[in-house]
Amino acid sequence: MSRLFPGADSGRAATRKGLLLGLLAVLAATVVSLLRTSGTGPLQSVFEEDARDILSDALDTSGAKAVLTPVQGYFVIGPRLLGELATFFPISWAAAVLSIGSAVICGLLAVQVYVAAGAHVRNRWARVAVAAPLLLVPVAENMYSEIYNRPVCLHFFALYALFWVLLWTPSSRAGRAGALTTVGLTAVSTALIVGYLPLAITRLCLRRDRLSTVMFALVVAGSALQVAAATTSLGRIPRDNSMRLDPGWALLRFADWALPQALLGTRSGHPDPSLVAAFVPTIGVVALAWAIVGLVVAAAVLGARRGALSPAWLLSAALGVHAVGLLALQIMINGSISQRYTTIPAQLLIAALVVLLPPAAGRSRLASSPLAALCALLLAVAAVNYRSAQTYRHDAPQWTDQLRQATQWCADNPAKSAVVVRGAPKPLMSYVVIPCHEVRGYTETPWLDPP
């Protein structure tokens, strides 16, 4: 088990070239993330909880109170901090600040995964394939799972990055600071942090160093905070007793729902892509997905015997166990399946297959063929599921148009203190409460040819 937590690699020092490449990678990842939101686009839309909770509270509540206010019964301190950041800019920029901030964080996490995976996966392209699911997960961006470029949905990506961070032992102060930042902010931003308690405990027992102790303490503290919010009045709303503690049902949903969509995309899950509510893929899709898993495992076994491949069996098993565990945790607590719950398991599953196919050191390019074939398949699936016009955010009203109307209304009603504007089309309860003092005197040069 200690092989899951290798020591720091002191032979790799940061260079200017490396830092520049990292910066360029974050910028590229930010663009890839932003482009996934179609229609009105990420720079002109504020959606659901980002609107009615994150932005509304940031505009009309003191900073500390807003940051420490739970959303749907759980603390989301990281997304709340992005909401506070938006208040430092003109209100007309709020939608763009929230979306760009979320996309940048997703890009930073992707680079962090690439670096953290280096101790386990030496092949550069395999490490790219391990980081890529953060940006290209094929189960997001449909009307049942709109999660990209949204502060409240950052935990779906942070929890995948957290797996790699909990295995990582950075050699530099900057690396350790980045690792602890990811652990700490994730712990206070999602109740699913409890799913990583076993991994944090295992690391502490095997490594027994200061970094492992601090990581463990952050995971425990975050778990305690989130459980307290969910089970007491601290969370501000009562949680209904809808849990379904049925491991057999959860495993079946992993086998016939989560895994097929993770490998073949949401649009393969049902004959009618707009009817994602059916959720369960056809028998043929399920069989094809499991056949892909079987082929990857067979290729890894055969390649390892011939010395062509260097599969990381233990790492792949750990990724697979966490994929199953985190899916079961989500759907059993919720009592039902929901499309967005496939996001974290999908990223873990893709990585579990990728780490089985890295070519062995010193082998010919032919040894890279299995990994190249898998990456080509995953890239094709990601391309098909990259953007969708069948989302609520696609048809959301433009933020600047809503502000223009709010400005006029506040000017016509000087005795009023606030106005409510929409962040998504009806019937969604996606709205922002804008204090009139934010828009009185607000003017904007109109676009003659809107982007």
Side-chain angles (χ1 to χ4, degrees):
M1 288 292 291
S2 61
R3 287 182 295 154
L4 278 177
F5 310 97
D9 187 351
S10 59
R12 294 185 177 183
T15 63
R16 288 186 178 181
K17 179 181 178 181
L19 293 174
L20 178 59
L21 289 174
L23 176 61
L24 292 175
V26 172
L27 292 175
T30 300
V31 173
V32 171
S33 177
L34 290 172
L35 289 176
R36 293 205 67 169
T37 304
S38 61
T40 301
L43 306 185
Q44 282 282 358
S45 59
V46 187
F47 189 63
E48 288 282 54
E49 295 95 338
D50 301 315
R52 66 174 178 263
D53 294 301
I54 302 301
L55 185 56
S56 292
D57 290 347
L59 290 173
D60 200 35
T61 310
S62 65
K65 183 179 179 181
V67 169
L68 296 176
T69 299
V71 174
Q72 299 297 317
Y74 303 113
F75 286 100
V76 289
I77 291 177
R80 290 277 192 191
L81 290 174
L82 273 181
E84 293 303 309
L85 175 65
T87 64
F88 287 92
F89 295 86
I91 192 171
S92 59
W93 295 16
V97 170
L98 293 178
S99 295
I100 293 174
S102 301
V104 169
I105 290 174
C106 197
L108 288 168
L109 290 172
V111 172
Q112 188 176 51
V113 168
Y114 177 86
V115 175
H120 294 277
V121 184
R122 295 294 184 180
N123 183 271
R124 184 172 299 175
W125 291 110
R127 290 164 65 189
V128 170
V130 163
L134 278 158
L135 307 170
L136 301 172
V137 62
V139 294
E141 298 319 286
N142 55 72
M143 68 176 63
Y144 298 96
S145 181
E146 299 183 52
I147 62 175
Y148 274 95
N149 313 311
R150 294 189 56 199
V152 295
C153 292
L154 279 171
H155 67 281
F156 288 115
F157 309 107
L159 283 165
Y160 171 66
L162 185 59
F163 174 88
W164 293 101
V165 169
L166 288 175
L167 304 187
W168 185 32
T169 303
S171 58
S172 67
R173 288 185 179 180
R176 290 191 292 272
L180 293 177
T181 298
T182 296
V183 176
L185 282 177
T186 304
V188 296
S189 299
T190 173
L192 295 177
I193 188 64
V194 298
Y196 279 102
L197 278 169
L199 189 61
I201 293 171
T202 303
R203 176 187 175 118
L204 179 63
C205 292
L206 293 176
R207 289 201 58 85
R208 299 176 181 271
D209 56 15
R210 184 180 301 175
L211 180 63
S212 301
T213 302
V214 177
M215 285 183 171
F216 171 74
L218 290 172
V219 173
V220 170
S223 299
L225 181 68
Q226 299 292 1
V227 170
T231 58
T232 69
S233 59
L234 189 63
R236 295 179 177 268
I237 64 170
R239 304 296 300 179
D240 58 11
N241 187 21
S242 60
M243 292 190 296
R244 182 176 178 179
L245 303 182
D246 184 349
W249 167 74
L251 289 174
L252 182 60
R253 292 290 78 82
F254 175 84
D256 72 357
W257 171 59
L259 185 141
Q261 293 198 38
L263 298 183
L264 297 174
T266 302
R267 296 190 179 191
S268 68
H270 193 273
D272 180 2
S274 66
L275 195 61
V276 187
F279 287 122
V280 180
T282 62
I283 295 298
V285 169
V286 174
L288 177 59
W290 281 100
I292 292 172
V293 173
L295 286 173
V296 170
V297 172
V301 171
L302 184 61
R305 287 181 177 178
R306 295 185 176 182
L309 300 181
S310 180
W313 294 107
L314 182 61
L315 176 60
S316 180
L319 284 159
V321 166
H322 281 80
V324 175
L326 286 170
L327 176 76
L329 179 65
Q330 292 176 93
I331 66 175
M332 287 198 298
I333 288 177
N334 191 56
S336 62
I337 60 178
S338 180
Q339 183 63 40
R340 63 185 181 277
Y341 293 163
T342 57
T343 306
I344 307 167
Q347 296 171 84
L348 292 165
L349 280 168
I350 291 171
L353 296 182
V354 168
V355 300
L356 291 179
L357 299 179
R363 300 296 296 187
S364 66
R365 290 185 178 181
L366 187 61
S368 301
S369 299
L371 177 62
L374 176 63
C375 289
L377 170 66
L378 296 175
L379 191 60
V381 171
V384 172
N385 293 273
Y386 182 64
R387 283 165 63 91
S388 173
Q390 295 174 332
T391 65
Y392 292 108
R393 203 171 178 183
H394 180 93
D395 298 316
Q398 291 210 351
W399 175 245
T400 48
D401 287 345
Q402 295 291 88
L403 277 183
R404 198 170 287 111
Q405 296 178 46
T407 301
Q408 186 61 51
W409 188 90
C410 287
D412 294 341
N413 298 271
K416 301 296 184 179
S417 61
V419 61
V420 180
V421 301
R422 277 206 156 271
K426 296 179 180 179
L428 294 186
M429 290 294 288
S430 180
Y431 59 85
V432 180
V433 179
I434 301 178
C436 280
H437 66 77
E438 292 283 351
V439 294
R440 284 195 174 108
Y442 161 79
T443 59
E444 179 182 354
T445 303
W447 287 86
L448 297 179
D449 184 16

